[in-house]
Amino acid sequence: SEEGADEVEGAAAAAVDEVELTGEELRTLVFTKYGKNHDMSLVRRDIPGKTFVALNVMWSYLEQRSFKMTPEQYMEKMDSIAYLLNAVGQADAVRA
């Protein structure tokens, strides 16, 4: 929606002072905490008057034989998630 796009742009402008999160840093943060390169996803929930965005760490991980992505695809996804986290000004929250 146009309103959602305005919120993202506003948050991105507010995040200018924040050091940008990279896909590699995101991968390293999760690996350091959990010992595996877990898949991640962003989930958005709209409740009247509020929008919640959560970063979910999934049960599947890159080192699994049944994992559906190549290492290159995994890093592309981490880069995309990092970009979105930067856009909404949540890089420091993810680092905390």
Side-chain angles (χ1 to χ4, degrees):
S1 76
E2 192 173 302
E3 183 178 295
D6 290 343
E7 288 174 13
V8 170
E9 287 175 19
V16 170
D17 292 338
E18 204 173 74
V19 176
E20 286 202 350
L21 182 69
T22 65
E24 181 59 31
E25 183 183 4
L26 184 59
R27 184 204 65 79
T28 300
L29 288 167
V30 170
F31 186 84
T32 300
K33 184 162 187 167
Y34 300 109
K36 293 182 172 51
N37 291 301
H38 284 277
D39 191 11
M40 288 175 250
S41 67
L42 286 173
V43 178
R44 176 181 167 166
R45 297 284 182 251
D46 292 311
I47 298 172
K50 291 198 181 235
T51 298
F52 295 94
V53 178
L55 174 63
N56 290 341
V57 178
M58 311 303 283
W59 64 271
S60 60
Y61 53 93
L62 182 61
E63 297 81 9
Q64 275 180 312
R65 288 172 51 186
S66 61
F67 194 66
K68 303 289 186 202
M69 287 182 265
T70 65
E72 294 77 20
Q73 290 169 326
Y74 175 79
M75 282 312 303
E76 285 177 20
K77 185 172 183 182
M78 294 304 101
D79 288 339
S80 297
I81 291 173
Y83 173 82
L84 292 169
L85 290 167
N86 289 322
V88 296
Q90 295 301 308
D92 285 343
V94 170
R95 290 182 180 112

